[in-house]
Amino acid sequence: MKQIFYILLLIVFGTFQIQAQNISEEPVIEMKDADTQPVFYAGIDALYDFIEQNFKKPNVPELIGKVFVTFIVEKDGTLTDIATTRDIGFGTGAEAERIMQLSPKWIPGRKDGKVVRVKYYLPIPIHTN
């Protein structure tokens, strides 16, 4: 019975590995090279509303600046490889990454009429009172 369990576990794990490899093997297009850039499902204004509603600002008076995050918008609209490229400290980069991980699916980008993976660059303005 244990052998069957381990065999099934290996099959399931192997399937996940194959799917992960398929995603990473497809090329990633830079934003400037996409014919149609990816977009948050409800538009850019809704994206910044989503960020504003969910971002936990640090308790630092008069903190002003921008956090820059990058991520890949996959062909199915999910976000992967979320990373901070510049932050203003006080945990703002980690918080920006957390928010982007919560993001609903996006409308993916297109190149030559085909849905493609696109690397997206997003500035997030921060201002505490």
Side-chain angles (χ1 to χ4, degrees), residues 39-54 71 79 99-100 103-104 106 120 122-124:
V39 65
F40 188 70
Y41 78 100
I44 194 74
D45 291 337
L47 171 61
Y48 281 109
D49 288 343
F50 170 79
I51 292 169
E52 180 67 28
Q53 291 171 5
N54 292 287
F71 47 87
L79 306 184
I99 294 303
M100 297 317 299
S103 174
W106 287 44
Y120 198 93
L122 180 68
I124 300 175

mmCIF file with all atom_site columns, all heavy atoms in Angstrom, residues 39-54 71 79 99-100 103-104 106 120 122-124:
data_model
loop_
_atom_site.group_PDB
_atom_site.id
_atom_site.type_symbol
_atom_site.label_atom_id
_atom_site.label_alt_id
_atom_site.label_comp_id
_atom_site.label_asym_id
_atom_site.label_entity_id
_atom_site.label_seq_id
_atom_site.pdbx_PDB_ins_code
_atom_site.Cartn_x
_atom_site.Cartn_y
_atom_site.Cartn_z
_atom_site.occupancy
_atom_site.B_iso_or_equiv
_atom_site.pdbx_formal_charge
_atom_site.auth_seq_id
_atom_site.auth_comp_id
_atom_site.auth_asym_id
_atom_site.auth_atom_id
_atom_site.pdbx_PDB_model_num
ATOM 1   N N   . VAL A 1 39  ? -2.471  44.142 -18.883 1.00 0.00 ? 39  VAL A N   1
ATOM 2   C CA  . VAL A 1 39  ? -3.183  45.158 -18.111 1.00 0.00 ? 39  VAL A CA  1
ATOM 3   C C   . VAL A 1 39  ? -3.920  44.480 -16.958 1.00 0.00 ? 39  VAL A C   1
ATOM 4   O O   . VAL A 1 39  ? -4.421  43.368 -17.089 1.00 0.00 ? 39  VAL A O   1
ATOM 5   C CB  . VAL A 1 39  ? -4.144  45.970 -19.017 1.00 0.00 ? 39  VAL A CB  1
ATOM 6   C CG1 . VAL A 1 39  ? -5.250  45.100 -19.576 1.00 0.00 ? 39  VAL A CG1 1
ATOM 7   C CG2 . VAL A 1 39  ? -4.717  47.159 -18.288 1.00 0.00 ? 39  VAL A CG2 1
ATOM 8   N N   . PHE A 1 40  ? -3.926  45.161 -15.823 1.00 0.00 ? 40  PHE A N   1
ATOM 9   C CA  . PHE A 1 40  ? -4.728  44.720 -14.676 1.00 0.00 ? 40  PHE A CA  1
ATOM 10  C C   . PHE A 1 40  ? -6.163  44.572 -15.171 1.00 0.00 ? 40  PHE A C   1
ATOM 11  O O   . PHE A 1 40  ? -6.642  45.410 -15.943 1.00 0.00 ? 40  PHE A O   1
ATOM 12  C CB  . PHE A 1 40  ? -4.625  45.766 -13.564 1.00 0.00 ? 40  PHE A CB  1
ATOM 13  C CG  . PHE A 1 40  ? -5.244  45.375 -12.256 1.00 0.00 ? 40  PHE A CG  1
ATOM 14  C CD1 . PHE A 1 40  ? -4.678  44.392 -11.464 1.00 0.00 ? 40  PHE A CD1 1
ATOM 15  C CD2 . PHE A 1 40  ? -6.375  46.021 -11.799 1.00 0.00 ? 40  PHE A CD2 1
ATOM 16  C CE1 . PHE A 1 40  ? -5.232  44.048 -10.241 1.00 0.00 ? 40  PHE A CE1 1
ATOM 17  C CE2 . PHE A 1 40  ? -6.935  45.688 -10.580 1.00 0.00 ? 40  PHE A CE2 1
ATOM 18  C CZ  . PHE A 1 40  ? -6.368  44.703 -9.799  1.00 0.00 ? 40  PHE A CZ  1
ATOM 19  N N   . TYR A 1 41  ? -6.843  43.539 -14.732 1.00 0.00 ? 41  TYR A N   1
ATOM 20  C CA  . TYR A 1 41  ? -8.143  43.181 -15.312 1.00 0.00 ? 41  TYR A CA  1
ATOM 21  C C   . TYR A 1 41  ? -9.143  44.332 -15.383 1.00 0.00 ? 41  TYR A C   1
ATOM 22  O O   . TYR A 1 41  ? -9.995  44.369 -16.260 1.00 0.00 ? 41  TYR A O   1
ATOM 23  C CB  . TYR A 1 41  ? -8.757  41.994 -14.550 1.00 0.00 ? 41  TYR A CB  1
ATOM 24  C CG  . TYR A 1 41  ? -9.384  42.382 -13.238 1.00 0.00 ? 41  TYR A CG  1
ATOM 25  C CD1 . TYR A 1 41  ? -10.742 42.559 -13.123 1.00 0.00 ? 41  TYR A CD1 1
ATOM 26  C CD2 . TYR A 1 41  ? -8.595  42.601 -12.108 1.00 0.00 ? 41  TYR A CD2 1
ATOM 27  C CE1 . TYR A 1 41  ? -11.320 42.936 -11.920 1.00 0.00 ? 41  TYR A CE1 1
ATOM 28  C CE2 . TYR A 1 41  ? -9.152  42.969 -10.910 1.00 0.00 ? 41  TYR A CE2 1
ATOM 29  C CZ  . TYR A 1 41  ? -10.517 43.129 -10.819 1.00 0.00 ? 41  TYR A CZ  1
ATOM 30  O OH  . TYR A 1 41  ? -11.083 43.512 -9.634  1.00 0.00 ? 41  TYR A OH  1
ATOM 31  N N   . ALA A 1 42  ? -9.032  45.309 -14.495 1.00 0.00 ? 42  ALA A N   1
ATOM 32  C CA  . ALA A 1 42  ? -9.992  46.414 -14.481 1.00 0.00 ? 42  ALA A CA  1
ATOM 33  C C   . ALA A 1 42  ? -9.347  47.751 -14.848 1.00 0.00 ? 42  ALA A C   1
ATOM 34  O O   . ALA A 1 42  ? -9.942  48.797 -14.669 1.00 0.00 ? 42  ALA A O   1
ATOM 35  C CB  . ALA A 1 42  ? -10.648 46.507 -13.108 1.00 0.00 ? 42  ALA A CB  1
ATOM 36  N N   . GLY A 1 43  ? -8.109  47.728 -15.331 1.00 0.00 ? 43  GLY A N   1
ATOM 37  C CA  . GLY A 1 43  ? -7.435  48.953 -15.753 1.00 0.00 ? 43  GLY A CA  1
ATOM 38  C C   . GLY A 1 43  ? -6.433  49.460 -14.735 1.00 0.00 ? 43  GLY A C   1
ATOM 39  O O   . GLY A 1 43  ? -6.399  49.025 -13.582 1.00 0.00 ? 43  GLY A O   1
ATOM 40  N N   . ILE A 1 44  ? -5.606  50.402 -15.181 1.00 0.00 ? 44  ILE A N   1
ATOM 41  C CA  . ILE A 1 44  ? -4.505  50.913 -14.359 1.00 0.00 ? 44  ILE A CA  1
ATOM 42  C C   . ILE A 1 44  ? -4.996  51.667 -13.121 1.00 0.00 ? 44  ILE A C   1
ATOM 43  O O   . ILE A 1 44  ? -4.405  51.559 -12.044 1.00 0.00 ? 44  ILE A O   1
ATOM 44  C CB  . ILE A 1 44  ? -3.530  51.776 -15.198 1.00 0.00 ? 44  ILE A CB  1
ATOM 45  C CG1 . ILE A 1 44  ? -2.220  52.015 -14.434 1.00 0.00 ? 44  ILE A CG1 1
ATOM 46  C CG2 . ILE A 1 44  ? -4.167  53.072 -15.628 1.00 0.00 ? 44  ILE A CG2 1
ATOM 47  C CD1 . ILE A 1 44  ? -1.323  50.836 -14.356 1.00 0.00 ? 44  ILE A CD1 1
ATOM 48  N N   . ASP A 1 45  ? -6.087  52.424 -13.248 1.00 0.00 ? 45  ASP A N   1
ATOM 49  C CA  . ASP A 1 45  ? -6.617  53.134 -12.080 1.00 0.00 ? 45  ASP A CA  1
ATOM 50  C C   . ASP A 1 45  ? -7.079  52.146 -11.013 1.00 0.00 ? 45  ASP A C   1
ATOM 51  O O   . ASP A 1 45  ? -6.843  52.351 -9.816  1.00 0.00 ? 45  ASP A O   1
ATOM 52  C CB  . ASP A 1 45  ? -7.768  54.059 -12.480 1.00 0.00 ? 45  ASP A CB  1
ATOM 53  C CG  . ASP A 1 45  ? -7.300  55.240 -13.316 1.00 0.00 ? 45  ASP A CG  1
ATOM 54  O OD1 . ASP A 1 45  ? -6.097  55.604 -13.234 1.00 0.00 ? 45  ASP A OD1 1
ATOM 55  O OD2 . ASP A 1 45  ? -8.122  55.800 -14.067 1.00 0.00 ? 45  ASP A OD2 1
ATOM 56  N N   . ALA A 1 46  ? -7.720  51.071 -11.448 1.00 0.00 ? 46  ALA A N   1
ATOM 57  C CA  . ALA A 1 46  ? -8.169  50.044 -10.506 1.00 0.00 ? 46  ALA A CA  1
ATOM 58  C C   . ALA A 1 46  ? -6.979  49.342 -9.853  1.00 0.00 ? 46  ALA A C   1
ATOM 59  O O   . ALA A 1 46  ? -7.044  48.960 -8.686  1.00 0.00 ? 46  ALA A O   1
ATOM 60  C CB  . ALA A 1 46  ? -9.064  49.032 -11.214 1.00 0.00 ? 46  ALA A CB  1
ATOM 61  N N   . LEU A 1 47  ? -5.878  49.186 -10.604 1.00 0.00 ? 47  LEU A N   1
ATOM 62  C CA  . LEU A 1 47  ? -4.670  48.594 -10.032 1.00 0.00 ? 47  LEU A CA  1
ATOM 63  C C   . LEU A 1 47  ? -4.161  49.446 -8.879  1.00 0.00 ? 47  LEU A C   1
ATOM 64  O O   . LEU A 1 47  ? -3.870  48.938 -7.790  1.00 0.00 ? 47  LEU A O   1
ATOM 65  C CB  . LEU A 1 47  ? -3.584  48.443 -11.094 1.00 0.00 ? 47  LEU A CB  1
ATOM 66  C CG  . LEU A 1 47  ? -2.197  48.038 -10.580 1.00 0.00 ? 47  LEU A CG  1
ATOM 67  C CD1 . LEU A 1 47  ? -2.237  46.680 -9.894  1.00 0.00 ? 47  LEU A CD1 1
ATOM 68  C CD2 . LEU A 1 47  ? -1.187  48.045 -11.710 1.00 0.00 ? 47  LEU A CD2 1
ATOM 69  N N   . TYR A 1 48  ? -4.054  50.744 -9.100  1.00 0.00 ? 48  TYR A N   1
ATOM 70  C CA  . TYR A 1 48  ? -3.556  51.609 -8.034  1.00 0.00 ? 48  TYR A CA  1
ATOM 71  C C   . TYR A 1 48  ? -4.545  51.698 -6.873  1.00 0.00 ? 48  TYR A C   1
ATOM 72  O O   . TYR A 1 48  ? -4.141  51.839 -5.718  1.00 0.00 ? 48  TYR A O   1
ATOM 73  C CB  . TYR A 1 48  ? -3.154  52.978 -8.584  1.00 0.00 ? 48  TYR A CB  1
ATOM 74  C CG  . TYR A 1 48  ? -1.790  52.919 -9.254  1.00 0.00 ? 48  TYR A CG  1
ATOM 75  C CD1 . TYR A 1 48  ? -1.652  53.016 -10.627 1.00 0.00 ? 48  TYR A CD1 1
ATOM 76  C CD2 . TYR A 1 48  ? -0.633  52.721 -8.497  1.00 0.00 ? 48  TYR A CD2 1
ATOM 77  C CE1 . TYR A 1 48  ? -0.394  52.928 -11.232 1.00 0.00 ? 48  TYR A CE1 1
ATOM 78  C CE2 . TYR A 1 48  ? 0.617   52.630 -9.090  1.00 0.00 ? 48  TYR A CE2 1
ATOM 79  C CZ  . TYR A 1 48  ? 0.731   52.734 -10.450 1.00 0.00 ? 48  TYR A CZ  1
ATOM 80  O OH  . TYR A 1 48  ? 1.970   52.637 -11.039 1.00 0.00 ? 48  TYR A OH  1
ATOM 81  N N   . ASP A 1 49  ? -5.851  51.587 -7.132  1.00 0.00 ? 49  ASP A N   1
ATOM 82  C CA  . ASP A 1 49  ? -6.833  51.508 -6.046  1.00 0.00 ? 49  ASP A CA  1
ATOM 83  C C   . ASP A 1 49  ? -6.618  50.233 -5.240  1.00 0.00 ? 49  ASP A C   1
ATOM 84  O O   . ASP A 1 49  ? -6.663  50.247 -4.008  1.00 0.00 ? 49  ASP A O   1
ATOM 85  C CB  . ASP A 1 49  ? -8.263  51.529 -6.596  1.00 0.00 ? 49  ASP A CB  1
ATOM 86  C CG  . ASP A 1 49  ? -8.680  52.892 -7.118  1.00 0.00 ? 49  ASP A CG  1
ATOM 87  O OD1 . ASP A 1 49  ? -8.017  53.900 -6.789  1.00 0.00 ? 49  ASP A OD1 1
ATOM 88  O OD2 . ASP A 1 49  ? -9.673  52.942 -7.878  1.00 0.00 ? 49  ASP A OD2 1
ATOM 89  N N   . PHE A 1 50  ? -6.389  49.120 -5.939  1.00 0.00 ? 50  PHE A N   1
ATOM 90  C CA  . PHE A 1 50  ? -6.133  47.836 -5.289  1.00 0.00 ? 50  PHE A CA  1
ATOM 91  C C   . PHE A 1 50  ? -4.901  47.931 -4.383  1.00 0.00 ? 50  PHE A C   1
ATOM 92  O O   . PHE A 1 50  ? -4.913  47.483 -3.238  1.00 0.00 ? 50  PHE A O   1
ATOM 93  C CB  . PHE A 1 50  ? -5.931  46.752 -6.363  1.00 0.00 ? 50  PHE A CB  1
ATOM 94  C CG  . PHE A 1 50  ? -5.429  45.446 -5.841  1.00 0.00 ? 50  PHE A CG  1
ATOM 95  C CD1 . PHE A 1 50  ? -6.283  44.550 -5.224  1.00 0.00 ? 50  PHE A CD1 1
ATOM 96  C CD2 . PHE A 1 50  ? -4.086  45.101 -5.970  1.00 0.00 ? 50  PHE A CD2 1
ATOM 97  C CE1 . PHE A 1 50  ? -5.814  43.334 -4.743  1.00 0.00 ? 50  PHE A CE1 1
ATOM 98  C CE2 . PHE A 1 50  ? -3.610  43.890 -5.493  1.00 0.00 ? 50  PHE A CE2 1
ATOM 99  C CZ  . PHE A 1 50  ? -4.476  43.002 -4.872  1.00 0.00 ? 50  PHE A CZ  1
ATOM 100 N N   . ILE A 1 51  ? -3.855  48.555 -4.899  1.00 0.00 ? 51  ILE A N   1
ATOM 101 C CA  . ILE A 1 51  ? -2.619  48.712 -4.120  1.00 0.00 ? 51  ILE A CA  1
ATOM 102 C C   . ILE A 1 51  ? -2.875  49.599 -2.905  1.00 0.00 ? 51  ILE A C   1
ATOM 103 O O   . ILE A 1 51  ? -2.492  49.266 -1.778  1.00 0.00 ? 51  ILE A O   1
ATOM 104 C CB  . ILE A 1 51  ? -1.484  49.270 -4.996  1.00 0.00 ? 51  ILE A CB  1
ATOM 105 C CG1 . ILE A 1 51  ? -1.073  48.220 -6.038  1.00 0.00 ? 51  ILE A CG1 1
ATOM 106 C CG2 . ILE A 1 51  ? -0.293  49.695 -4.146  1.00 0.00 ? 51  ILE A CG2 1
ATOM 107 C CD1 . ILE A 1 51  ? -0.159  48.737 -7.126  1.00 0.00 ? 51  ILE A CD1 1
ATOM 108 N N   . GLU A 1 52  ? -3.537  50.713 -3.114  1.00 0.00 ? 52  GLU A N   1
ATOM 109 C CA  . GLU A 1 52  ? -3.816  51.651 -2.029  1.00 0.00 ? 52  GLU A CA  1
ATOM 110 C C   . GLU A 1 52  ? -4.637  50.997 -0.914  1.00 0.00 ? 52  GLU A C   1
ATOM 111 O O   . GLU A 1 52  ? -4.380  51.212 0.274   1.00 0.00 ? 52  GLU A O   1
ATOM 112 C CB  . GLU A 1 52  ? -4.557  52.880 -2.569  1.00 0.00 ? 52  GLU A CB  1
ATOM 113 C CG  . GLU A 1 52  ? -4.907  53.928 -1.530  1.00 0.00 ? 52  GLU A CG  1
ATOM 114 C CD  . GLU A 1 52  ? -3.704  54.633 -0.920  1.00 0.00 ? 52  GLU A CD  1
ATOM 115 O OE1 . GLU A 1 52  ? -2.665  54.745 -1.606  1.00 0.00 ? 52  GLU A OE1 1
ATOM 116 O OE2 . GLU A 1 52  ? -3.804  55.079 0.236   1.00 0.00 ? 52  GLU A OE2 1
ATOM 117 N N   . GLN A 1 53  ? -5.608  50.189 -1.285  1.00 0.00 ? 53  GLN A N   1
ATOM 118 C CA  . GLN A 1 53  ? -6.473  49.538 -0.297  1.00 0.00 ? 53  GLN A CA  1
ATOM 119 C C   . GLN A 1 53  ? -5.749  48.443 0.493   1.00 0.00 ? 53  GLN A C   1
ATOM 120 O O   . GLN A 1 53  ? -6.104  48.169 1.633   1.00 0.00 ? 53  GLN A O   1
ATOM 121 C CB  . GLN A 1 53  ? -7.702  48.940 -0.978  1.00 0.00 ? 53  GLN A CB  1
ATOM 122 C CG  . GLN A 1 53  ? -8.654  49.970 -1.511  1.00 0.00 ? 53  GLN A CG  1
ATOM 123 C CD  . GLN A 1 53  ? -9.749  49.351 -2.382  1.00 0.00 ? 53  GLN A CD  1
ATOM 124 O OE1 . GLN A 1 53  ? -9.838  48.135 -2.517  1.00 0.00 ? 53  GLN A OE1 1
ATOM 125 N NE2 . GLN A 1 53  ? -10.562 50.191 -2.987  1.00 0.00 ? 53  GLN A NE2 1
ATOM 126 N N   . ASN A 1 54  ? -4.759  47.821 -0.107  1.00 0.00 ? 54  ASN A N   1
ATOM 127 C CA  . ASN A 1 54  ? -4.121  46.659 0.521   1.00 0.00 ? 54  ASN A CA  1
ATOM 128 C C   . ASN A 1 54  ? -2.727  46.903 1.070   1.00 0.00 ? 54  ASN A C   1
ATOM 129 O O   . ASN A 1 54  ? -2.235  46.118 1.871   1.00 0.00 ? 54  ASN A O   1
ATOM 130 C CB  . ASN A 1 54  ? -4.067  45.501 -0.486  1.00 0.00 ? 54  ASN A CB  1
ATOM 131 C CG  . ASN A 1 54  ? -5.438  44.976 -0.803  1.00 0.00 ? 54  ASN A CG  1
ATOM 132 O OD1 . ASN A 1 54  ? -6.054  44.309 0.008   1.00 0.00 ? 54  ASN A OD1 1
ATOM 133 N ND2 . ASN A 1 54  ? -5.938  45.298 -1.986  1.00 0.00 ? 54  ASN A ND2 1
ATOM 134 N N   . PHE A 1 71  ? 7.679   41.883 -12.466 1.00 0.00 ? 71  PHE A N   1
ATOM 135 C CA  . PHE A 1 71  ? 7.067   40.558 -12.437 1.00 0.00 ? 71  PHE A CA  1
ATOM 136 C C   . PHE A 1 71  ? 6.772   40.140 -13.862 1.00 0.00 ? 71  PHE A C   1
ATOM 137 O O   . PHE A 1 71  ? 6.819   40.952 -14.785 1.00 0.00 ? 71  PHE A O   1
ATOM 138 C CB  . PHE A 1 71  ? 5.790   40.538 -11.581 1.00 0.00 ? 71  PHE A CB  1
ATOM 139 C CG  . PHE A 1 71  ? 4.838   41.668 -11.854 1.00 0.00 ? 71  PHE A CG  1
ATOM 140 C CD1 . PHE A 1 71  ? 3.877   41.567 -12.853 1.00 0.00 ? 71  PHE A CD1 1
ATOM 141 C CD2 . PHE A 1 71  ? 4.894   42.834 -11.115 1.00 0.00 ? 71  PHE A CD2 1
ATOM 142 C CE1 . PHE A 1 71  ? 2.998   42.613 -13.098 1.00 0.00 ? 71  PHE A CE1 1
ATOM 143 C CE2 . PHE A 1 71  ? 4.018   43.885 -11.348 1.00 0.00 ? 71  PHE A CE2 1
ATOM 144 C CZ  . PHE A 1 71  ? 3.060   43.773 -12.347 1.00 0.00 ? 71  PHE A CZ  1
ATOM 145 N N   . LEU A 1 79  ? 0.696   36.266 -12.048 1.00 0.00 ? 79  LEU A N   1
ATOM 146 C CA  . LEU A 1 79  ? 1.969   36.968 -11.903 1.00 0.00 ? 79  LEU A CA  1
ATOM 147 C C   . LEU A 1 79  ? 2.994   36.026 -11.278 1.00 0.00 ? 79  LEU A C   1
ATOM 148 O O   . LEU A 1 79  ? 2.699   35.360 -10.281 1.00 0.00 ? 79  LEU A O   1
ATOM 149 C CB  . LEU A 1 79  ? 1.800   38.205 -11.016 1.00 0.00 ? 79  LEU A CB  1
ATOM 150 C CG  . LEU A 1 79  ? 0.722   39.203 -11.424 1.00 0.00 ? 79  LEU A CG  1
ATOM 151 C CD1 . LEU A 1 79  ? 0.745   40.413 -10.494 1.00 0.00 ? 79  LEU A CD1 1
ATOM 152 C CD2 . LEU A 1 79  ? 0.843   39.623 -12.866 1.00 0.00 ? 79  LEU A CD2 1
ATOM 153 N N   . ILE A 1 99  ? 1.715   42.521 -1.934  1.00 0.00 ? 99  ILE A N   1
ATOM 154 C CA  . ILE A 1 99  ? 0.511   43.012 -2.601  1.00 0.00 ? 99  ILE A CA  1
ATOM 155 C C   . ILE A 1 99  ? 0.382   42.418 -3.996  1.00 0.00 ? 99  ILE A C   1
ATOM 156 O O   . ILE A 1 99  ? -0.698  42.004 -4.414  1.00 0.00 ? 99  ILE A O   1
ATOM 157 C CB  . ILE A 1 99  ? 0.518   44.561 -2.684  1.00 0.00 ? 99  ILE A CB  1
ATOM 158 C CG1 . ILE A 1 99  ? 0.417   45.156 -1.286  1.00 0.00 ? 99  ILE A CG1 1
ATOM 159 C CG2 . ILE A 1 99  ? -0.588  45.082 -3.580  1.00 0.00 ? 99  ILE A CG2 1
ATOM 160 C CD1 . ILE A 1 99  ? -0.773  44.720 -0.496  1.00 0.00 ? 99  ILE A CD1 1
ATOM 161 N N   . MET A 1 100 ? 1.476   42.372 -4.732  1.00 0.00 ? 100 MET A N   1
ATOM 162 C CA  . MET A 1 100 ? 1.411   41.845 -6.097  1.00 0.00 ? 100 MET A CA  1
ATOM 163 C C   . MET A 1 100 ? 1.102   40.350 -6.093  1.00 0.00 ? 100 MET A C   1
ATOM 164 O O   . MET A 1 100 ? 0.468   39.848 -7.009  1.00 0.00 ? 100 MET A O   1
ATOM 165 C CB  . MET A 1 100 ? 2.692   42.160 -6.862  1.00 0.00 ? 100 MET A CB  1
ATOM 166 C CG  . MET A 1 100 ? 2.946   43.645 -7.058  1.00 0.00 ? 100 MET A CG  1
ATOM 167 S SD  . MET A 1 100 ? 1.499   44.647 -7.521  1.00 0.00 ? 100 MET A SD  1
ATOM 168 C CE  . MET A 1 100 ? 1.025   43.912 -9.070  1.00 0.00 ? 100 MET A CE  1
ATOM 169 N N   . SER A 1 103 ? -2.572  39.926 -6.141  1.00 0.00 ? 103 SER A N   1
ATOM 170 C CA  . SER A 1 103 ? -3.253  40.465 -7.317  1.00 0.00 ? 103 SER A CA  1
ATOM 171 C C   . SER A 1 103 ? -4.108  39.428 -8.034  1.00 0.00 ? 103 SER A C   1
ATOM 172 O O   . SER A 1 103 ? -3.683  38.298 -8.241  1.00 0.00 ? 103 SER A O   1
ATOM 173 C CB  . SER A 1 103 ? -2.218  41.014 -8.306  1.00 0.00 ? 103 SER A CB  1
ATOM 174 O OG  . SER A 1 103 ? -2.852  41.418 -9.503  1.00 0.00 ? 103 SER A OG  1
ATOM 175 N N   . PRO A 1 104 ? -5.305  39.849 -8.438  1.00 0.00 ? 104 PRO A N   1
ATOM 176 C CA  . PRO A 1 104 ? -6.092  38.972 -9.310  1.00 0.00 ? 104 PRO A CA  1
ATOM 177 C C   . PRO A 1 104 ? -5.385  38.821 -10.657 1.00 0.00 ? 104 PRO A C   1
ATOM 178 O O   . PRO A 1 104 ? -4.435  39.555 -10.949 1.00 0.00 ? 104 PRO A O   1
ATOM 179 C CB  . PRO A 1 104 ? -7.410  39.733 -9.497  1.00 0.00 ? 104 PRO A CB  1
ATOM 180 C CG  . PRO A 1 104 ? -7.393  40.870 -8.554  1.00 0.00 ? 104 PRO A CG  1
ATOM 181 C CD  . PRO A 1 104 ? -5.991  41.084 -8.115  1.00 0.00 ? 104 PRO A CD  1
ATOM 182 N N   . TRP A 1 106 ? -4.365  39.125 -14.480 1.00 0.00 ? 106 TRP A N   1
ATOM 183 C CA  . TRP A 1 106 ? -4.307  40.229 -15.424 1.00 0.00 ? 106 TRP A CA  1
ATOM 184 C C   . TRP A 1 106 ? -4.765  39.758 -16.796 1.00 0.00 ? 106 TRP A C   1
ATOM 185 O O   . TRP A 1 106 ? -4.867  38.561 -17.055 1.00 0.00 ? 106 TRP A O   1
ATOM 186 C CB  . TRP A 1 106 ? -2.877  40.738 -15.537 1.00 0.00 ? 106 TRP A CB  1
ATOM 187 C CG  . TRP A 1 106 ? -2.386  41.516 -14.351 1.00 0.00 ? 106 TRP A CG  1
ATOM 188 C CD1 . TRP A 1 106 ? -2.551  41.217 -13.034 1.00 0.00 ? 106 TRP A CD1 1
ATOM 189 C CD2 . TRP A 1 106 ? -1.632  42.718 -14.389 1.00 0.00 ? 106 TRP A CD2 1
ATOM 190 N NE1 . TRP A 1 106 ? -1.938  42.153 -12.246 1.00 0.00 ? 106 TRP A NE1 1
ATOM 191 C CE2 . TRP A 1 106 ? -1.359  43.083 -13.066 1.00 0.00 ? 106 TRP A CE2 1
ATOM 192 C CE3 . TRP A 1 106 ? -1.142  43.506 -15.427 1.00 0.00 ? 106 TRP A CE3 1
ATOM 193 C CZ2 . TRP A 1 106 ? -0.634  44.217 -12.740 1.00 0.00 ? 106 TRP A CZ2 1
ATOM 194 C CZ3 . TRP A 1 106 ? -0.417  44.635 -15.097 1.00 0.00 ? 106 TRP A CZ3 1
ATOM 195 C CH2 . TRP A 1 106 ? -0.175  44.991 -13.768 1.00 0.00 ? 106 TRP A CH2 1
ATOM 196 N N   . TYR A 1 120 ? 6.879   42.906 -16.664 1.00 0.00 ? 120 TYR A N   1
ATOM 197 C CA  . TYR A 1 120 ? 6.199   44.172 -16.387 1.00 0.00 ? 120 TYR A CA  1
ATOM 198 C C   . TYR A 1 120 ? 6.961   44.927 -15.302 1.00 0.00 ? 120 TYR A C   1
ATOM 199 O O   . TYR A 1 120 ? 7.421   44.336 -14.330 1.00 0.00 ? 120 TYR A O   1
ATOM 200 C CB  . TYR A 1 120 ? 4.768   43.884 -15.911 1.00 0.00 ? 120 TYR A CB  1
ATOM 201 C CG  . TYR A 1 120 ? 3.831   45.051 -16.007 1.00 0.00 ? 120 TYR A CG  1
ATOM 202 C CD1 . TYR A 1 120 ? 3.043   45.233 -17.141 1.00 0.00 ? 120 TYR A CD1 1
ATOM 203 C CD2 . TYR A 1 120 ? 3.700   45.955 -14.967 1.00 0.00 ? 120 TYR A CD2 1
ATOM 204 C CE1 . TYR A 1 120 ? 2.159   46.295 -17.234 1.00 0.00 ? 120 TYR A CE1 1
ATOM 205 C CE2 . TYR A 1 120 ? 2.827   47.022 -15.052 1.00 0.00 ? 120 TYR A CE2 1
ATOM 206 C CZ  . TYR A 1 120 ? 2.053   47.190 -16.184 1.00 0.00 ? 120 TYR A CZ  1
ATOM 207 O OH  . TYR A 1 120 ? 1.176   48.248 -16.272 1.00 0.00 ? 120 TYR A OH  1
ATOM 208 N N   . LEU A 1 122 ? 6.617   48.078 -12.594 1.00 0.00 ? 122 LEU A N   1
ATOM 209 C CA  . LEU A 1 122 ? 5.577   48.875 -11.960 1.00 0.00 ? 122 LEU A CA  1
ATOM 210 C C   . LEU A 1 122 ? 6.144   49.753 -10.851 1.00 0.00 ? 122 LEU A C   1
ATOM 211 O O   . LEU A 1 122 ? 6.697   49.238 -9.868  1.00 0.00 ? 122 LEU A O   1
ATOM 212 C CB  . LEU A 1 122 ? 4.507   47.946 -11.372 1.00 0.00 ? 122 LEU A CB  1
ATOM 213 C CG  . LEU A 1 122 ? 3.337   48.617 -10.672 1.00 0.00 ? 122 LEU A CG  1
ATOM 214 C CD1 . LEU A 1 122 ? 2.465   49.369 -11.686 1.00 0.00 ? 122 LEU A CD1 1
ATOM 215 C CD2 . LEU A 1 122 ? 2.508   47.585 -9.925  1.00 0.00 ? 122 LEU A CD2 1
ATOM 216 N N   . PRO A 1 123 ? 5.993   51.079 -10.979 1.00 0.00 ? 123 PRO A N   1
ATOM 217 C CA  . PRO A 1 123 ? 6.348   51.966 -9.857  1.00 0.00 ? 123 PRO A CA  1
ATOM 218 C C   . PRO A 1 123 ? 5.145   52.103 -8.920  1.00 0.00 ? 123 PRO A C   1
ATOM 219 O O   . PRO A 1 123 ? 4.014   52.229 -9.377  1.00 0.00 ? 123 PRO A O   1
ATOM 220 C CB  . PRO A 1 123 ? 6.657   53.297 -10.559 1.00 0.00 ? 123 PRO A CB  1
ATOM 221 C CG  . PRO A 1 123 ? 5.815   53.264 -11.794 1.00 0.00 ? 123 PRO A CG  1
ATOM 222 C CD  . PRO A 1 123 ? 5.678   51.812 -12.190 1.00 0.00 ? 123 PRO A CD  1
ATOM 223 N N   . ILE A 1 124 ? 5.422   52.055 -7.639  1.00 0.00 ? 124 ILE A N   1
ATOM 224 C CA  . ILE A 1 124 ? 4.359   52.214 -6.637  1.00 0.00 ? 124 ILE A CA  1
ATOM 225 C C   . ILE A 1 124 ? 4.728   53.407 -5.757  1.00 0.00 ? 124 ILE A C   1
ATOM 226 O O   . ILE A 1 124 ? 5.681   53.337 -4.981  1.00 0.00 ? 124 ILE A O   1
ATOM 227 C CB  . ILE A 1 124 ? 4.200   50.945 -5.782  1.00 0.00 ? 124 ILE A CB  1
ATOM 228 C CG1 . ILE A 1 124 ? 3.849   49.752 -6.682  1.00 0.00 ? 124 ILE A CG1 1
ATOM 229 C CG2 . ILE A 1 124 ? 3.143   51.158 -4.700  1.00 0.00 ? 124 ILE A CG2 1
ATOM 230 C CD1 . ILE A 1 124 ? 3.799   48.428 -5.938  1.00 0.00 ? 124 ILE A CD1 1
#
